[in-house]
Amino acid sequence: MQLLLAITLLAARALAAHQEHHHDELEDQMPLGYVKYPYQASYPGDNEVTADSIFSGITTFARLPWVQCLTDKSASFDIAFLGAPFDTGTSYRPGARFGPSGIRAGSRRLTLYGGYNVPLETNPFKLLKIVDCGDIPVTPYDNAHAIQQIEDGHKELLHRTPSSALGNDSLTGEPLVPLALDGKHHPRVITLGGDHTIVLPLLRSIYSAYGAISVIHFDSHLDTWKPSVFGGSEGKGIGGGALNHGTYFYWASQEGLIKNGSSIASHGAIRTTLSGPADYENDDNAGFKRIEAREIDTLGVGGIIAKIRETVGDKPVYLSIDIDSIDPAFAPATGTPETGGWSTRELRAIIRGLDGLHIVSADIVEVAPAYDTNAELTTMAAADVLFEVLGVMAKTPLGKIAGKA
């Protein structure tokens, strides 16, 4: 018995020594600057070493830290990326449920050289705490339940306390107060779709903090169609085709989620066919103004930007981007492609032209990676567009000087 006990003790000591030695080896192999649980990804600054192995590790947007925000109620952030893998509201090609993972893959090299945006003269990754919160668990079997899941998931993050305070106005030095109607400072959420149906639950979430909101909508389609025209159902609700990726703005207008007369609908390159002129009349009634894709030939990028800013003014605004606003020559992987759109360069320039607007949250939708090229043209385009959105958001806090309208 004593011999057995002695052998057991010797084996335990040998195992402990081996584990300690193995741990020391791992410590020696850790890369320089390694942080076990970073609150923020480590991005190189000005004149620092860049070009790390961006193709390794778990794929998050721009290699941001993955935080399980929906289950970890203590997680705080200034901007959160959130996937909404829903595509059962499509009318043509499905597949956007894989959009969130595709966009993340397309974003891998966004920060290869550090993340500094040259035209906007800012590095959002250095200014704010930005995280990837993964995806909302969305059911593919029950649209009504899925829509509620998306609203609840977005609202859960929108009503967190941001990591950074509002601070002071950059010109006057006076302290800023929140823009939200509930008087609170909210973080921003950038949602990765998913088909465009997801914007109805997202706007319902936004309404809970900001009330009726102005909308900037880049798309090749109106998305304000009446259910009787697009889906064949007059009845309000999910069933019977009433809510889909062509009617969600109709319902958003009916529910009072959009500021009437101060929104740009489909201005990102409206070029779809219609059932007839009545579709435009219905679009007008929903409170939207349009900029046709072809107008860029006469107005140019600067003229498009001026038209958008004239419409939304300095009010808080929600930004929704359908990847099909870009011509399929540059972004083929989408559910309802339309030729004659804008180039990736033009759309990125127009988004940079929104610098100074109070963008409360945003989304990019209708990316369906199954139709992409081997070179990942569409998912890279989506990621690069969001890089511009990040820069605009980082430069303009969601605050105003007290007493100023």
Side-chain angles (χ1 to χ4, degrees):
M1 187 69 181
Q2 289 181 337
L3 178 61
L4 179 62
L5 180 61
I7 292 173
T8 303
L9 288 173
L10 286 172
R13 289 173 183 169
L15 177 62
H18 172 75
Q19 289 176 334
E20 183 178 354
H21 176 69
H22 182 63
H23 176 74
D24 292 340
E25 284 184 342
L26 288 177
E27 289 291 326
D28 292 340
Q29 293 172 23
M30 290 296 181
L32 290 173
Y34 172 78
V35 180
K36 188 173 183 181
Y37 298 115
Y39 89 90
Q40 177 63 294
S42 179
Y43 294 112
D46 192 18
N47 204 33
E48 292 180 356
V49 176
T50 64
D52 289 335
S53 57
I54 55 169
F55 40 80
S56 62
I58 296 172
T59 303
T60 62
F61 189 88
R63 300 175 64 229
L64 290 167
W66 173 49
V67 179
Q68 293 176 295
C69 312
L70 294 174
T71 54
D72 182 359
K73 307 295 183 181
S74 66
S76 66
F77 43 81
D78 296 309
I79 300 177
F81 283 87
L82 181 66
F86 172 93
D87 69 357
T88 46
T90 54
S91 59
Y92 189 45
R93 301 194 304 201
R97 67 181 63 184
F98 300 107
S101 59
I103 295 167
R104 289 184 177 106
S107 73
R108 281 186 297 243
R109 62 180 298 277
L110 267 183
T111 53
L112 174 63
Y113 307 114
Y116 183 80
N117 188 315
V118 175
L120 287 174
E121 300 180 330
T122 188
N123 188 335
F125 303 102
K126 292 287 189 180
L127 291 177
L128 300 173
K129 182 179 177 182
I130 309 173
V131 300
D132 189 330
C133 292
D135 293 349
I136 301 169
V138 177
T139 177
Y141 303 112
D142 184 337
N143 279 11
H145 185 54
I147 293 299
Q148 191 62 54
Q149 287 177 312
I150 294 168
E151 179 183 346
D152 292 344
H154 189 276
K155 193 180 294 182
E156 170 66 33
L157 302 190
L158 183 67
H159 287 272
R160 296 281 174 88
T161 300
S163 294
S164 304
L166 270 176
N168 299 328
D169 181 71
S170 59
L171 295 178
T172 66
E174 296 183 56
L176 296 173
V177 297
L179 289 171
L181 290 184
D182 63 5
K184 298 177 182 178
H185 179 33
H186 294 271
R188 293 184 251 213
V189 182
I190 298 178
T191 308
L192 311 176
D195 78 52
H196 226 149
T197 313
I198 70 170
V199 169
L200 180 61
L202 298 184
L203 288 178
R204 288 171 176 168
S205 172
I206 292 294
Y207 186 86
S208 70
Y210 295 93
I213 195 80
S214 296
V215 174
I216 297 176
H217 173 214
F218 292 99
D219 204 321
S220 63
H221 307 94
L222 294 173
D223 295 357
T224 53
W225 277 286
K226 290 182 178 180
S228 58
V229 175
F230 200 100
S233 174
E234 280 289 359
K236 184 173 181 179
I238 308 299
L243 174 60
N244 54 60
H245 72 164
T247 64
Y248 63 92
F249 270 140
Y250 170 85
W251 291 120
S253 176
Q254 294 291 307
E255 293 181 16
L257 306 178
I258 301 171
K259 273 190 179 294
N260 198 301
S262 62
S263 296
I264 290 285
S266 304
H267 79 272
I270 177 67
R271 57 192 187 276
T272 183
T273 56
L274 305 173
S275 70
D279 289 346
Y280 274 179
E281 294 174 13
N282 185 61
D283 194 56
D284 294 339
N285 293 334
F288 287 91
K289 297 181 181 179
R290 293 173 299 280
I291 300 176
E292 306 279 349
R294 61 182 180 273
E295 291 186 60
I296 202 167
D297 297 330
T298 53
L299 296 178
V301 168
I304 299 292
I305 294 169
K307 203 167 181 179
I308 297 169
R309 298 185 73 103
E310 180 184 352
T311 301
V312 300
D314 59 357
K315 294 178 286 293
V317 62
Y318 182 84
L319 175 61
S320 184
I321 305 167
D322 190 323
I323 197 67
D324 71 19
S325 56
I326 300 176
D327 191 277
F330 306 98
T334 188
T336 49
E338 305 281 358
T339 61
W342 293 347
S343 69
T344 310
R345 181 178 64 183
E346 288 166 339
L347 180 58
R348 291 182 67 175
I350 290 168
I351 291 175
R352 289 196 299 269
L354 306 181
D355 185 17
L357 295 185
H358 295 101
I359 300 175
V360 302
S361 280
D363 66 72
I364 194 159
V365 296
E366 301 286 354
V367 174
Y371 312 111
D372 213 354
T373 67
N374 289 338
E376 301 177 314
L377 285 181
T378 311
T379 56
M380 283 195 300
D384 288 346
V385 164
L386 291 182
F387 178 62
E388 306 294 359
V389 174
L390 269 179
V392 172
M393 285 181 169
K395 292 183 66 176
T396 308
L398 295 179
K400 62 181 179 179
I401 299 173
K404 193 174 181 181

